[in-house]
Amino acid sequence: ITSPRYLFFAIITVTMSFIEKAINPAFYKQKISTWSHATAEYYKPLFRSGSVKPLWHIMIATSVLMYTQNYLFNKGTHIQHARHEKKVALEEYYKNHNITPHH
C-alpha cells in the first residue's frame, strides 16, 4: 500500500521533470528532429514511386490550415462580437446625425 505522502512526492517529481523538459530548448530540437526524420522516411518512397498520396496530404494540410485561420481571424466569436459593436455604433451615429446608411 502506497502512502499519500509517497504519491504526493511522486507527482511532484514527475511534474518537475516535465517542467525541466518544457523549458529546455534541446527537448524541442530533438522532437522536431525526430519528427522531420520520420516524415522524410515516410514520404521518400512515395515521392520516388510517383504516388499521389503526398499531394493529397499537402492539399488536406493546406485546407485545414486555411479554414482554421479563416475562422480564427475572420469568423471567430470575438471578431463577430466586434463587428456587431461597430454596426450598432454606426447605426447610432447615423441616427444622431440624420444620415442614411446607403447615401
Side-chain angles (χ1 to χ4, degrees), residues 35-49 51 53-54 57:
W35 177 82
S36 63
H37 178 71
T39 303
E41 291 299 313
Y42 177 78
Y43 283 111
K44 198 179 293 182
L46 294 174
F47 278 119
R48 287 187 179 158
S49 69
S51 174
K53 197 177 212 180
H57 288 177

Side-chain angles (χ1 to χ4, degrees), residues 17-48:
S17 71
F18 173 74
I19 292 172
E20 289 171 3
K21 284 182 187 176
I23 62 174
N24 187 359
F27 172 74
Y28 296 104
K29 186 176 179 182
Q30 188 265 336
K31 288 288 185 187
I32 290 171
S33 174
T34 302
W35 177 82
S36 63
H37 178 71
T39 303
E41 291 299 313
Y42 177 78
Y43 283 111
K44 198 179 293 182
L46 294 174
F47 278 119
R48 287 187 179 158

Side-chain angles (χ1 to χ4, degrees), residues 1 5 9-10 23 27 36-37 45 53 58 61 65 68-69 72 76 78 82 85 87-88 91 99-100:
I1 297 176
R5 185 176 181 161
F9 285 119
I23 62 174
F27 172 74
S36 63
H37 178 71
K53 197 177 212 180
I58 291 169
L65 181 67
T68 302
Q69 184 177 2
L72 290 175
H78 63 285
E85 281 184 353
K87 182 180 176 185
V88 169
E91 287 173 359
I99 300 173
T100 59

